[in-house]
Amino acid sequence: MELSDRILNVEASQTMAINDKANLLRAQGKNIIGFNLGEPDFDTPEFIKMKAIEGMEKGYTSYTNVSGLLQLREEICNKYKREYNLLYSPEQVIVSNGAKQILYNVLQTIINPGDEVIIIAPYWVSYPEMIKLAGGKPVVVHTKEENDLKAKVQDIKSKISKKVKAIILNSPGNPGGGVYTKNQLSEISNLVVDNNLLMISDEIYEKFQFNDNKYISIATLGEQIKARTIVVNAMSKTYAMTGWRIGFAAGPENIIRKMGIIQGHSTSNANSIAQYASWKGLANRKLDLEIKRRADEYKERCDIMINKINKIPLLNAVKPVGAFYVFLNIKETYNLKYQDYLINDSLSFAKALLEGAGVAVVPGIAFGMDGYVRLTFASSREDINVGLERIERFIKKISV
Ligand SMILES: Cc1ncc(COP(=O)(O)O)c(C=O)c1O
């Protein structure tokens, strides 16, 4: 059977090989420290779990509106008004199965064959493949450590052509950990407005920012950019609800409505019980304190991880300002050998580290930037300490 060009054009996640191997080693009884997962090690707050039970008991068990329960969309509007003074109506909001489906829907809505979308490397793994699935072409802007793994506005500008439809911005970034400043955001916003583009602002890590600045959503920088921005968010990371699959977006009504048409013919609505619990969770101000507590804990774990990395020869990392990942530069280990593995890229480093130290990390090539691996510090302090000690021993072993 001949498969579609669409699927043949898309790559499977390069992170799976390491994950499969890690699971195999675990099944053989080996102790593996997993720094590879992109999810909080905290559990969903008890309040939200209880509200899911209440939702079932109250009969929130049927299809909802395709775009989500009205009360949840109203609560999302309240969040944006309260936190950013951004005004949206429920018709400008859609709820989907995670931020992933939001991004998928928006790209399906705006891309024609051959259209280009600008993404910034290191980028979240699914952006390029989702763009390709929609028939578009990802155009990659590269970044440097000296710019904190954030794109220079000039570099974004040089990629803009008539074919470019949109820019995806992810601040705080996965995996780079960069947070764009107000000046940088306003320069990018001028580019978007002047070139008639759409801004897809992936703000899923908004609550995990480690400096004292207030988080800035690009949509707050004026009516013109707001009218061209799809703000993407989710319950997943903020509320440690990755398995519940609730993401949401706010933006121009015509695009949001069309995203709903795609969703209506693919998955209908997001899970009704998870929507009910999310509505109650977003409305509960006491949970803000819990989220802040978790953000403070991530900040401390980030410090622990970076301090340990700074003491290990051959490894370097830019200190993240947000999200919960360290993007570790491993280029100085190139040409060293662990048993029969010659380390010459991020994949060979990740394989050698897994075999030699029992530590699972994600190769940077999955994020469009070889020479790096991603470690998450949404892991327990104990795992961070033990995992980094193992990495240090491994580096010393292969350096002799
Ligand atoms: C930057 C970024 N965007 C989107 C997603 C998808 O989030 P969700 O689990 O809500 O689909 C992730 C998850 O890892 C992410 O890191």
Side-chain angles (χ1 to χ4, degrees), residues 43-309:
D43 198 0
T44 304
E46 206 50 36
F47 175 83
I48 294 183
K49 290 188 192 172
M50 298 315 292
K51 287 294 164 186
I53 294 168
E54 181 182 291
M56 278 188 278
E57 285 170 353
K58 286 194 169 177
Y60 282 81
T61 50
S62 320
Y63 292 127
T64 69
N65 282 345
V66 166
S67 55
L69 283 175
L70 178 61
Q71 301 94 321
L72 172 56
R73 284 180 291 131
E74 282 172 345
E75 206 48 62
I76 293 166
C77 295
N78 291 343
K79 163 192 161 64
Y80 282 105
K81 174 154 190 339
R82 185 178 63 245
E83 296 181 358
Y84 302 111
N85 203 22
L86 276 174
L87 304 184
Y88 293 106
S89 67
E91 294 71 38
Q92 293 178 293
V93 171
I94 184 168
V95 177
S96 300
N97 294 282
K100 199 171 232 176
Q101 194 190 14
I102 293 283
L103 289 158
Y104 188 87
N105 287 345
V106 69
L107 292 167
Q108 292 289 330
T109 300
I110 61 158
I111 292 179
N112 277 320
D115 283 347
E116 296 181 351
V117 176
I118 293 179
I119 55 176
I120 297 163
Y123 46 68
W124 179 55
V125 275
S126 294
Y127 295 149
E129 307 313 312
M130 283 189 190
I131 294 166
K132 288 196 260 167
L133 272 171
K137 188 175 156 213
V139 172
V140 181
V141 172
H142 295 279
T143 63
K144 294 199 173 116
E145 284 180 46
E146 66 210 50
N147 301 316
D148 296 331
L149 300 169
K150 292 189 286 185
K152 285 171 72 179
V153 179
Q154 208 45 40
D155 294 338
I156 301 180
K157 192 172 179 185
S158 71
K159 299 283 183 184
I160 296 180
S161 70
K162 288 219 155 50
K163 288 188 182 167
V164 172
K165 267 275 176 67
I167 301 176
I168 304 183
L169 194 73
N170 175 213
S171 173
N174 170 11
V179 175
Y180 285 78
T181 63
K182 188 168 185 185
N183 276 348
Q184 289 166 331
L185 289 176
S186 73
E187 283 181 311
I188 296 171
S189 127
N190 290 341
L191 280 185
V192 170
V193 172
D194 294 348
N195 293 282
N196 202 14
L197 306 178
L198 185 75
M199 165 51 61
I200 301 171
S201 182
D202 185 342
E203 304 183 356
I204 190 165
Y205 296 100
E206 65 171 337
K207 297 295 178 203
F208 305 130
Q209 181 177 315
F210 309 133
N211 55 22
D212 292 330
N213 303 343
K214 196 173 174 310
Y215 180 75
I216 301 169
S217 166
I218 195 166
T220 59
L221 300 180
E223 277 310 312
Q224 285 188 311
I225 185 68
K226 177 173 178 261
R228 315 195 138 273
T229 301
I230 304 281
V231 174
V232 180
N233 214 322
M235 301 301 285
S236 311
K237 315 282 175 174
T238 308
Y239 291 88
M241 288 173 68
T242 48
W244 298 60
R245 311 307 302 131
I246 297 290
F248 49 89
E253 191 176 332
N254 60 332
I255 295 182
I256 295 286
R257 197 176 325 114
K258 296 284 193 287
M259 287 163 66
I261 293 177
I262 290 172
Q263 183 162 308
H265 290 298
S266 51
T267 58
S268 299
N269 55 272
N271 178 294
S272 58
I273 302 153
Q275 284 193 58
Y276 180 89
S278 300
W279 156 30
K280 298 294 176 181
L282 282 175
N284 182 345
R285 299 283 55 78
K286 284 194 190 135
L287 287 183
D288 296 349
L289 296 175
E290 174 60 16
I291 290 161
K292 173 80 176 63
R293 196 188 61 76
R294 292 178 180 192
D296 290 344
E297 173 64 16
Y298 287 143
K299 182 174 189 282
E300 285 188 28
R301 292 183 195 181
C302 175
D303 288 343
I304 297 173
M305 190 174 257
I306 288 287
N307 287 340
K308 292 216 163 253
I309 287 168

Side-chain angles (χ1 to χ4, degrees), residues 324-348:
F324 38 64
Y325 311 98
V326 167
F327 206 48
L328 186 67
N329 183 329
I330 49 124
K331 287 180 203 161
E332 286 181 38
T333 66
Y334 280 14
N335 296 324
L336 296 178
K337 267 188 121 182
Y338 168 72
Q339 292 178 349
D340 28 337
Y341 295 114
L342 174 69
I343 296 172
N344 55 7
D345 58 16
S346 59
L347 199 58
S348 53

